[in-house]
PDB file of all heavy atoms in Angstrom:
ATOM      1  N   GLY N 663       3.960-193.061  78.813  1.00 98.00           N
ATOM      2  CA  GLY N 663       2.651-193.748  78.597  1.00 98.00           C
ATOM      3  C   GLY N 663       1.456-193.070  79.336  1.00 98.00           C
ATOM      4  O   GLY N 663       0.381-193.235  78.926  1.00 98.00           O
ATOM      5  N   ALA N 664       1.823-192.317  80.512  1.00 98.00           N
ATOM      6  CA  ALA N 664       0.815-191.572  81.037  1.00 98.00           C
ATOM      7  C   ALA N 664       0.798-190.121  80.734  1.00 98.00           C
ATOM      8  O   ALA N 664       0.172-189.335  81.280  1.00 98.00           O
ATOM      9  CB  ALA N 664       1.043-191.580  82.643  1.00 98.00           C
ATOM     10  N   GLY N 665       1.498-189.817  79.511  1.00 98.00           N
ATOM     11  CA  GLY N 665       1.451-188.386  79.100  1.00 98.00           C
ATOM     12  C   GLY N 665       2.353-187.502  80.044  1.00 98.00           C
ATOM     13  O   GLY N 665       2.136-186.232  80.024  1.00 98.00           O
ATOM     14  N   GLN N 666       3.254-188.037  80.800  1.00 98.00           N
ATOM     15  CA  GLN N 666       4.078-187.273  81.709  1.00 98.00           C
ATOM     16  C   GLN N 666       5.624-187.296  81.413  1.00 98.00           C
ATOM     17  O   GLN N 666       6.026-188.109  80.402  1.00 98.00           O
ATOM     18  CB  GLN N 666       3.846-187.790  83.046  1.00 98.00           C
ATOM     19  CG  GLN N 666       2.441-187.736  83.507  1.00 98.00           C
ATOM     20  CD  GLN N 666       1.797-186.339  83.715  1.00 98.00           C
ATOM     21  OE1 GLN N 666       2.390-185.579  84.423  1.00 98.00           O
ATOM     22  NE2 GLN N 666       0.862-186.029  82.744  1.00 98.00           N
ATOM     23  N   GLN N 667       6.307-186.667  82.023  1.00 98.00           N
ATOM     24  CA  GLN N 667       7.828-186.638  81.761  1.00 98.00           C
ATOM     25  C   GLN N 667       8.446-186.788  83.126  1.00 98.00           C
ATOM     26  O   GLN N 667       8.115-186.249  84.226  1.00 98.00           O
ATOM     27  CB  GLN N 667       8.172-185.242  81.173  1.00 98.00           C
ATOM     28  CG  GLN N 667       9.677-185.121  80.854  1.00 98.00           C
ATOM     29  CD  GLN N 667       9.944-183.712  80.166  1.00 98.00           C
ATOM     30  OE1 GLN N 667       9.118-182.854  80.155  1.00 98.00           O
ATOM     31  NE2 GLN N 667      11.197-183.631  79.695  1.00 98.00           N
ATOM     32  N   VAL N 668       9.711-187.533  83.153  1.00 98.00           N
ATOM     33  CA  VAL N 668      10.526-187.601  84.289  1.00 98.00           C
ATOM     34  C   VAL N 668      11.306-186.346  84.377  1.00 98.00           C
ATOM     35  O   VAL N 668      12.064-186.095  83.422  1.00 98.00           O
ATOM     36  CB  VAL N 668      11.468-188.816  84.218  1.00 98.00           C
ATOM     37  CG1 VAL N 668      12.394-188.846  85.270  1.00 98.00           C
ATOM     38  CG2 VAL N 668      10.679-190.156  84.127  1.00 98.00           C
ATOM     39  N   ARG N 669      11.202-185.591  85.439  1.00 98.00           N
ATOM     40  CA  ARG N 669      11.847-184.297  85.468  1.00 98.00           C
ATOM     41  C   ARG N 669      13.218-184.337  86.267  1.00 98.00           C
ATOM     42  O   ARG N 669      14.049-183.439  85.961  1.00 98.00           O
ATOM     43  CB  ARG N 669      10.880-183.314  86.271  1.00 98.00           C
ATOM     44  CG  ARG N 669       9.591-183.104  85.692  1.00 98.00           C
ATOM     45  CD  ARG N 669       8.740-181.966  86.376  1.00 98.00           C
ATOM     46  NE  ARG N 669       9.339-180.622  86.217  1.00 98.00           N
ATOM     47  CZ  ARG N 669      10.033-180.051  87.214  1.00 98.00           C
ATOM     48  NH1 ARG N 669      10.014-180.579  88.399  1.00 98.00           N
ATOM     49  NH2 ARG N 669      10.460-178.767  86.908  1.00 98.00           N
ATOM     50  N   HIS N 670      13.380-185.261  87.130  1.00 98.00           N
ATOM     51  CA  HIS N 670      14.643-185.398  87.851  1.00 98.00           C
ATOM     52  C   HIS N 670      15.006-186.812  88.181  1.00 98.00           C
ATOM     53  O   HIS N 670      14.246-187.707  88.039  1.00 98.00           O
ATOM     54  CB  HIS N 670      14.447-184.529  89.200  1.00 98.00           C
ATOM     55  CG  HIS N 670      13.574-185.081  90.226  1.00 98.00           C
ATOM     56  ND1 HIS N 670      12.114-185.075  90.265  1.00 98.00           N
ATOM     57  CD2 HIS N 670      13.765-186.040  91.387  1.00 98.00           C
ATOM     58  CE1 HIS N 670      11.639-185.659  91.253  1.00 98.00           C
ATOM     59  NE2 HIS N 670      12.671-186.223  91.948  1.00 98.00           N
ATOM     60  N   VAL N 671      16.188-186.950  88.641  1.00 98.00           N
ATOM     61  CA  VAL N 671      16.728-188.173  89.154  1.00 98.00           C
ATOM     62  C   VAL N 671      17.486-188.057  90.471  1.00 98.00           C
ATOM     63  O   VAL N 671      18.173-187.070  90.580  1.00 98.00           O
ATOM     64  CB  VAL N 671      17.588-188.781  87.987  1.00 98.00           C
ATOM     65  CG1 VAL N 671      18.763-187.958  87.628  1.00 98.00           C
ATOM     66  CG2 VAL N 671      17.922-190.213  88.300  1.00 98.00           C
ATOM     67  N   LYS N 672      17.282-189.029  91.231  1.00 98.00           N
ATOM     68  CA  LYS N 672      17.917-188.969  92.536  1.00 98.00           C
ATOM     69  C   LYS N 672      18.337-190.432  92.963  1.00 98.00           C
ATOM     70  O   LYS N 672      17.498-191.380  92.941  1.00 98.00           O
ATOM     71  CB  LYS N 672      16.920-188.482  93.784  1.00 98.00           C
ATOM     72  CG  LYS N 672      17.385-188.498  95.076  1.00 98.00           C
ATOM     73  CD  LYS N 672      16.362-188.098  96.064  1.00 98.00           C
ATOM     74  CE  LYS N 672      16.768-188.623  97.388  1.00 98.00           C
ATOM     75  NZ  LYS N 672      15.840-188.376  98.492  1.00 98.00           N
ATOM     76  N   LEU N 673      19.516-190.638  93.414  1.00 98.00           N
ATOM     77  CA  LEU N 673      20.024-191.972  93.742  1.00 98.00           C
ATOM     78  C   LEU N 673      19.386-192.338  95.112  1.00 98.00           C
ATOM     79  O   LEU N 673      19.197-191.572  96.015  1.00 98.00           O
ATOM     80  CB  LEU N 673      21.491-192.030  93.874  1.00 98.00           C
ATOM     81  CG  LEU N 673      22.203-191.979  92.509  1.00 98.00           C
ATOM     82  CD1 LEU N 673      23.726-192.006  92.889  1.00 98.00           C
ATOM     83  CD2 LEU N 673      21.920-193.105  91.700  1.00 98.00           C
ATOM     84  N   HIS N 674      19.363-193.700  95.228  1.00 97.00           N
ATOM     85  CA  HIS N 674      18.762-194.333  96.585  1.00 97.00           C
ATOM     86  C   HIS N 674      19.996-194.999  97.369  1.00 97.00           C
ATOM     87  O   HIS N 674      20.889-195.514  96.872  1.00 97.00           O
ATOM     88  CB  HIS N 674      17.861-195.410  96.131  1.00 97.00           C
ATOM     89  CG  HIS N 674      17.336-196.285  97.302  1.00 97.00           C
ATOM     90  ND1 HIS N 674      16.462-195.828  98.224  1.00 97.00           N
ATOM     91  CD2 HIS N 674      17.783-197.430  97.700  1.00 97.00           C
ATOM     92  CE1 HIS N 674      16.366-196.699  99.146  1.00 97.00           C
ATOM     93  NE2 HIS N 674      17.109-197.710  98.879  1.00 97.00           N
ATOM     94  N   GLY N 675      19.698-194.883  98.658  1.00 94.00           N
ATOM     95  CA  GLY N 675      20.443-195.615  99.550  1.00 94.00           C
ATOM     96  C   GLY N 675      21.949-195.693  99.494  1.00 94.00           C
ATOM     97  O   GLY N 675      22.536-194.652  99.373  1.00 94.00           O
ATOM     98  N   ALA N 676      22.567-196.985  99.496  1.00 96.00           N
ATOM     99  CA  ALA N 676      23.889-197.152  99.511  1.00 96.00           C
ATOM    100  C   ALA N 676      24.689-196.438  98.336  1.00 96.00           C
ATOM    101  O   ALA N 676      25.716-196.006  98.390  1.00 96.00           O
ATOM    102  CB  ALA N 676      24.249-198.609  99.616  1.00 96.00           C
ATOM    103  N   LEU N 677      23.930-196.587  97.185  1.00 97.00           N
ATOM    104  CA  LEU N 677      24.565-196.010  96.020  1.00 97.00           C
ATOM    105  C   LEU N 677      24.655-194.575  96.064  1.00 97.00           C
ATOM    106  O   LEU N 677      25.624-193.899  95.563  1.00 97.00           O
ATOM    107  CB  LEU N 677      23.755-196.475  94.781  1.00 97.00           C
ATOM    108  CG  LEU N 677      24.380-196.217  93.356  1.00 97.00           C
ATOM    109  CD1 LEU N 677      25.803-196.589  93.187  1.00 97.00           C
ATOM    110  CD2 LEU N 677      23.526-196.664  92.256  1.00 97.00           C
ATOM    111  N   ALA N 678      23.632-193.889  96.679  1.00 95.00           N
ATOM    112  CA  ALA N 678      23.699-192.403  96.796  1.00 95.00           C
ATOM    113  C   ALA N 678      24.848-192.058  97.845  1.00 95.00           C
ATOM    114  O   ALA N 678      25.522-191.067  97.511  1.00 95.00           O
ATOM    115  CB  ALA N 678      22.267-192.003  97.393  1.00 95.00           C
ATOM    116  N   ASN N 679      25.003-192.843  98.848  1.00 93.00           N
ATOM    117  CA  ASN N 679      26.097-192.472  99.767  1.00 93.00           C
ATOM    118  C   ASN N 679      27.449-192.714  99.116  1.00 93.00           C
ATOM    119  O   ASN N 679      28.340-191.824  99.309  1.00 93.00           O
ATOM    120  CB  ASN N 679      25.928-193.383 101.073  1.00 93.00           C
ATOM    121  CG  ASN N 679      24.758-193.107 101.898  1.00 93.00           C
ATOM    122  OD1 ASN N 679      24.259-191.939 101.896  1.00 93.00           O
ATOM    123  ND2 ASN N 679      24.105-194.011 102.631  1.00 93.00           N
ATOM    124  N   MET N 680      27.621-193.722  98.303  1.00 96.00           N
ATOM    125  CA  MET N 680      28.875-194.027  97.695  1.00 96.00           C
ATOM    126  C   MET N 680      29.171-192.868  96.657  1.00 96.00           C
ATOM    127  O   MET N 680      30.395-192.459  96.480  1.00 96.00           O
ATOM    128  CB  MET N 680      28.963-195.318  97.021  1.00 96.00           C
ATOM    129  CG  MET N 680      28.844-196.401  98.091  1.00 96.00           C
ATOM    130  SD  MET N 680      28.541-198.121  97.346  1.00 96.00           S
ATOM    131  CE  MET N 680      30.129-198.411  96.570  1.00 96.00           C
ATOM    132  N   ALA N 681      28.250-192.485  95.894  1.00 96.00           N
ATOM    133  CA  ALA N 681      28.357-191.408  94.930  1.00 96.00           C
ATOM    134  C   ALA N 681      28.621-190.080  95.549  1.00 96.00           C
ATOM    135  O   ALA N 681      29.402-189.123  94.943  1.00 96.00           O
ATOM    136  CB  ALA N 681      27.089-191.265  93.987  1.00 96.00           C
ATOM    137  N   SER N 682      28.295-189.843  96.844  1.00 94.00           N
ATOM    138  CA  SER N 682      28.552-188.627  97.464  1.00 94.00           C
ATOM    139  C   SER N 682      29.931-188.650  98.052  1.00 94.00           C
ATOM    140  O   SER N 682      30.512-187.617  98.365  1.00 94.00           O
ATOM    141  CB  SER N 682      27.680-188.556  98.749  1.00 94.00           C
ATOM    142  OG  SER N 682      26.296-188.286  98.229  1.00 94.00           O
ATOM    143  N   GLU N 683      30.625-189.733  98.079  1.00 94.00           N
ATOM    144  CA  GLU N 683      32.020-189.907  98.626  1.00 94.00           C
ATOM    145  C   GLU N 683      32.979-190.132  97.638  1.00 94.00           C
ATOM    146  O   GLU N 683      34.181-189.786  97.817  1.00 94.00           O
ATOM    147  CB  GLU N 683      31.934-191.103  99.655  1.00 94.00           C
ATOM    148  CG  GLU N 683      31.052-191.025 100.836  1.00 94.00           C
ATOM    149  CD  GLU N 683      30.775-192.335 101.546  1.00 94.00           C
ATOM    150  OE1 GLU N 683      31.423-193.371 101.127  1.00 94.00           O
ATOM    151  OE2 GLU N 683      29.854-192.328 102.487  1.00 94.00           O
ATOM    152  N   GLU N 684      32.674-190.750  96.538  1.00 96.00           N
ATOM    153  CA  GLU N 684      33.598-191.184  95.556  1.00 96.00           C
ATOM    154  C   GLU N 684      33.376-190.480  94.196  1.00 96.00           C
ATOM    155  O   GLU N 684      32.319-190.794  93.519  1.00 96.00           O
ATOM    156  CB  GLU N 684      33.595-192.733  95.308  1.00 96.00           C
ATOM    157  CG  GLU N 684      33.954-193.398  96.644  1.00 96.00           C
ATOM    158  CD  GLU N 684      33.858-194.954  96.477  1.00 96.00           C
ATOM    159  OE1 GLU N 684      34.359-195.489  95.458  1.00 96.00           O
ATOM    160  OE2 GLU N 684      33.474-195.516  97.427  1.00 96.00           O
ATOM    161  N   ALA N 685      34.365-189.756  93.671  1.00 97.00           N
ATOM    162  CA  ALA N 685      34.116-188.996  92.446  1.00 97.00           C
ATOM    163  C   ALA N 685      33.793-189.978  91.266  1.00 97.00           C
ATOM    164  O   ALA N 685      33.023-189.641  90.406  1.00 97.00           O
ATOM    165  CB  ALA N 685      35.334-188.146  92.200  1.00 97.00           C
ATOM    166  N   ALA N 686      34.487-191.122  91.213  1.00 97.00           N
ATOM    167  CA  ALA N 686      34.216-192.006  90.078  1.00 97.00           C
ATOM    168  C   ALA N 686      32.855-192.464  89.914  1.00 97.00           C
ATOM    169  O   ALA N 686      32.218-192.516  88.815  1.00 97.00           O
ATOM    170  CB  ALA N 686      35.215-193.137  90.025  1.00 97.00           C
ATOM    171  N   ILE N 687      32.228-192.790  91.060  1.00 97.00           N
ATOM    172  CA  ILE N 687      30.824-193.305  91.146  1.00 97.00           C
ATOM    173  C   ILE N 687      29.920-192.188  90.719  1.00 97.00           C
ATOM    174  O   ILE N 687      29.081-192.340  90.006  1.00 97.00           O
ATOM    175  CB  ILE N 687      30.457-193.933  92.377  1.00 97.00           C
ATOM    176  CG1 ILE N 687      31.394-195.184  92.662  1.00 97.00           C
ATOM    177  CG2 ILE N 687      29.084-194.245  92.563  1.00 97.00           C
ATOM    178  CD1 ILE N 687      31.226-195.844  94.009  1.00 97.00           C
ATOM    179  N   ALA N 688      30.200-191.014  91.402  1.00 97.00           N
ATOM    180  CA  ALA N 688      29.309-189.813  90.987  1.00 97.00           C
ATOM    181  C   ALA N 688      29.436-189.536  89.452  1.00 97.00           C
ATOM    182  O   ALA N 688      28.334-189.184  88.940  1.00 97.00           O
ATOM    183  CB  ALA N 688      29.876-188.663  91.817  1.00 97.00           C
ATOM    184  N   GLU N 689      30.588-189.611  89.023  1.00 97.00           N
ATOM    185  CA  GLU N 689      30.713-189.289  87.395  1.00 97.00           C
ATOM    186  C   GLU N 689      29.951-190.322  86.639  1.00 97.00           C
ATOM    187  O   GLU N 689      29.357-189.964  85.485  1.00 97.00           O
ATOM    188  CB  GLU N 689      32.206-189.229  87.063  1.00 97.00           C
ATOM    189  CG  GLU N 689      32.866-187.971  87.647  1.00 97.00           C
ATOM    190  CD  GLU N 689      34.308-187.891  87.531  1.00 97.00           C
ATOM    191  OE1 GLU N 689      34.879-188.869  86.906  1.00 97.00           O
ATOM    192  OE2 GLU N 689      34.947-186.918  88.028  1.00 97.00           O
ATOM    193  N   ALA N 690      29.968-191.619  87.020  1.00 97.00           N
ATOM    194  CA  ALA N 690      29.332-192.602  86.325  1.00 97.00           C
ATOM    195  C   ALA N 690      27.760-192.485  86.447  1.00 97.00           C
ATOM    196  O   ALA N 690      27.037-192.663  85.392  1.00 97.00           O
ATOM    197  CB  ALA N 690      29.587-194.034  86.836  1.00 97.00           C
ATOM    198  N   TYR N 691      27.230-192.005  87.598  1.00 96.00           N
ATOM    199  CA  TYR N 691      25.890-191.720  87.769  1.00 96.00           C
ATOM    200  C   TYR N 691      25.457-190.527  86.870  1.00 96.00           C
ATOM    201  O   TYR N 691      24.366-190.506  86.207  1.00 96.00           O
ATOM    202  CB  TYR N 691      25.706-191.403  89.199  1.00 96.00           C
ATOM    203  CG  TYR N 691      24.418-190.576  89.496  1.00 96.00           C
ATOM    204  CD1 TYR N 691      23.092-190.979  88.952  1.00 96.00           C
ATOM    205  CD2 TYR N 691      24.373-189.696  90.491  1.00 96.00           C
ATOM    206  CE1 TYR N 691      21.925-190.370  89.265  1.00 96.00           C
ATOM    207  CE2 TYR N 691      23.169-188.977  90.767  1.00 96.00           C
ATOM    208  CZ  TYR N 691      22.063-189.360  90.170  1.00 96.00           C
ATOM    209  OH  TYR N 691      20.840-188.649  90.565  1.00 96.00           O
ATOM    210  N   VAL N 692      26.273-189.426  86.971  1.00 97.00           N
ATOM    211  CA  VAL N 692      25.952-188.279  86.074  1.00 97.00           C
ATOM    212  C   VAL N 692      25.967-188.652  84.551  1.00 97.00           C
ATOM    213  O   VAL N 692      25.101-188.143  83.790  1.00 97.00           O
ATOM    214  CB  VAL N 692      26.891-187.087  86.413  1.00 97.00           C
ATOM    215  CG1 VAL N 692      26.686-185.973  85.400  1.00 97.00           C
ATOM    216  CG2 VAL N 692      26.732-186.640  87.864  1.00 97.00           C
ATOM    217  N   ALA N 693      26.848-189.483  84.227  1.00 97.00           N
ATOM    218  CA  ALA N 693      26.819-189.872  82.777  1.00 97.00           C
ATOM    219  C   ALA N 693      25.600-190.633  82.364  1.00 97.00           C
ATOM    220  O   ALA N 693      25.084-190.465  81.293  1.00 97.00           O
ATOM    221  CB  ALA N 693      28.034-190.759  82.529  1.00 97.00           C
ATOM    222  N   ALA N 694      25.126-191.444  83.317  1.00 97.00           N
ATOM    223  CA  ALA N 694      23.813-192.090  82.939  1.00 97.00           C
ATOM    224  C   ALA N 694      22.600-191.126  82.902  1.00 97.00           C
ATOM    225  O   ALA N 694      21.789-191.226  82.024  1.00 97.00           O
ATOM    226  CB  ALA N 694      23.449-193.134  84.158  1.00 97.00           C
ATOM    227  N   ALA N 695      22.619-190.168  83.765  1.00 98.00           N
ATOM    228  CA  ALA N 695      21.501-189.152  83.731  1.00 98.00           C
ATOM    229  C   ALA N 695      21.574-188.312  82.494  1.00 98.00           C
ATOM    230  O   ALA N 695      20.601-188.065  81.824  1.00 98.00           O
ATOM    231  CB  ALA N 695      21.512-188.203  84.956  1.00 98.00           C
ATOM    232  N   LYS N 696      22.833-187.999  81.994  1.00 98.00           N
ATOM    233  CA  LYS N 696      22.986-187.109  80.898  1.00 98.00           C
ATOM    234  C   LYS N 696      22.556-188.018  79.611  1.00 98.00           C
ATOM    235  O   LYS N 696      21.998-187.348  78.702  1.00 98.00           O
ATOM    236  CB  LYS N 696      24.353-186.622  80.850  1.00 98.00           C
ATOM    237  CG  LYS N 696      24.642-185.647  79.781  1.00 98.00           C
ATOM    238  CD  LYS N 696      25.975-184.902  79.928  1.00 98.00           C
ATOM    239  CE  LYS N 696      26.079-183.537  79.129  1.00 98.00           C
ATOM    240  NZ  LYS N 696      27.368-182.835  79.468  1.00 98.00           N
ATOM    241  N   ALA N 697      22.985-189.200  79.574  1.00 98.00           N
ATOM    242  CA  ALA N 697      22.584-190.032  78.487  1.00 98.00           C
ATOM    243  C   ALA N 697      21.021-190.129  78.368  1.00 98.00           C
ATOM    244  O   ALA N 697      20.409-190.282  77.232  1.00 98.00           O
ATOM    245  CB  ALA N 697      23.209-191.372  78.476  1.00 98.00           C
ATOM    246  N   ALA N 698      20.322-190.300  79.580  1.00 98.00           N
ATOM    247  CA  ALA N 698      18.915-190.513  79.635  1.00 98.00           C
ATOM    248  C   ALA N 698      18.225-189.217  79.088  1.00 98.00           C
ATOM    249  O   ALA N 698      17.198-189.280  78.369  1.00 98.00           O
ATOM    250  CB  ALA N 698      18.542-190.870  80.941  1.00 98.00           C
ATOM    251  N   ASP N 699      18.681-188.130  79.462  1.00 98.00           N
ATOM    252  CA  ASP N 699      18.095-186.766  79.160  1.00 98.00           C
ATOM    253  C   ASP N 699      18.994-185.685  79.816  1.00 98.00           C
ATOM    254  O   ASP N 699      19.112-185.462  80.971  1.00 98.00           O
ATOM    255  CB  ASP N 699      16.638-186.637  79.824  1.00 98.00           C
ATOM    256  CG  ASP N 699      15.931-185.354  79.473  1.00 98.00           C
ATOM    257  OD1 ASP N 699      16.620-184.492  78.823  1.00 98.00           O
ATOM    258  OD2 ASP N 699      14.780-185.091  79.861  1.00 98.00           O
ATOM    259  N   PRO N 700      19.578-184.860  78.928  1.00 97.00           N
ATOM    260  CA  PRO N 700      20.549-183.855  79.464  1.00 97.00           C
ATOM    261  C   PRO N 700      19.776-182.714  80.166  1.00 97.00           C
ATOM    262  O   PRO N 700      20.566-182.002  80.745  1.00 97.00           O
ATOM    263  CB  PRO N 700      21.124-183.256  78.117  1.00 97.00           C
ATOM    264  CG  PRO N 700      20.362-183.743  76.988  1.00 97.00           C
ATOM    265  CD  PRO N 700      19.633-185.064  77.444  1.00 97.00           C
ATOM    266  N   ASP N 701      18.551-182.737  80.015  1.00 97.00           N
ATOM    267  CA  ASP N 701      17.793-181.799  80.849  1.00 97.00           C
ATOM    268  C   ASP N 701      17.254-182.245  82.113  1.00 97.00           C
ATOM    269  O   ASP N 701      16.536-181.481  82.908  1.00 97.00           O
ATOM    270  CB  ASP N 701      16.639-181.129  79.997  1.00 97.00           C
ATOM    271  CG  ASP N 701      16.990-180.452  78.706  1.00 97.00           C
ATOM    272  OD1 ASP N 701      18.052-179.699  78.897  1.00 97.00           O
ATOM    273  OD2 ASP N 701      16.431-180.550  77.691  1.00 97.00           O
ATOM    274  N   LEU N 702      17.511-183.505  82.515  1.00 98.00           N
ATOM    275  CA  LEU N 702      17.124-183.959  83.767  1.00 98.00           C
ATOM    276  C   LEU N 702      17.732-183.129  84.911  1.00 98.00           C
ATOM    277  O   LEU N 702      19.000-182.881  84.880  1.00 98.00           O
ATOM    278  CB  LEU N 702      17.532-185.445  83.979  1.00 98.00           C
ATOM    279  CG  LEU N 702      16.734-186.506  83.454  1.00 98.00           C
ATOM    280  CD1 LEU N 702      17.241-187.911  83.641  1.00 98.00           C
ATOM    281  CD2 LEU N 702      15.274-186.538  84.132  1.00 98.00           C
ATOM    282  N   ILE N 703      16.947-182.856  85.933  1.00 98.00           N
ATOM    283  CA  ILE N 703      17.436-182.200  87.112  1.00 98.00           C
ATOM    284  C   ILE N 703      18.196-183.310  88.004  1.00 98.00           C
ATOM    285  O   ILE N 703      17.504-184.255  88.361  1.00 98.00           O
ATOM    286  CB  ILE N 703      16.444-181.472  87.975  1.00 98.00           C
ATOM    287  CG1 ILE N 703      15.758-180.412  87.160  1.00 98.00           C
ATOM    288  CG2 ILE N 703      17.069-180.901  89.160  1.00 98.00           C
ATOM    289  CD1 ILE N 703      14.519-179.822  87.771  1.00 98.00           C
ATOM    290  N   VAL N 704      19.483-183.240  88.323  1.00 98.00           N
ATOM    291  CA  VAL N 704      20.071-184.194  89.052  1.00 98.00           C
ATOM    292  C   VAL N 704      20.128-183.741  90.585  1.00 98.00           C
ATOM    293  O   VAL N 704      20.659-182.729  90.949  1.00 98.00           O
ATOM    294  CB  VAL N 704      21.460-184.463  88.651  1.00 98.00           C
ATOM    295  CG1 VAL N 704      22.202-185.644  89.485  1.00 98.00           C
ATOM    296  CG2 VAL N 704      21.592-184.854  87.157  1.00 98.00           C
ATOM    297  N   VAL N 705      19.375-184.572  91.454  1.00 97.00           N
ATOM    298  CA  VAL N 705      19.434-184.217  92.826  1.00 97.00           C
ATOM    299  C   VAL N 705      20.724-184.742  93.494  1.00 97.00           C
ATOM    300  O   VAL N 705      21.020-185.928  93.323  1.00 97.00           O
ATOM    301  CB  VAL N 705      18.209-184.876  93.524  1.00 97.00           C
ATOM    302  CG1 VAL N 705      18.166-184.655  94.888  1.00 97.00           C
ATOM    303  CG2 VAL N 705      16.849-184.408  92.850  1.00 97.00           C
TER     304      VAL N 705
END
């Protein structure tokens, strides 16, 4: 709506910590990022 593009995605807080520790949560997050835009930079 502002003529811009979301370039990257980065998890917040407890969810970020859990995804850093558990492969299943990390993979679910990456699946969401890929579905939203396969060119998103995942932090």
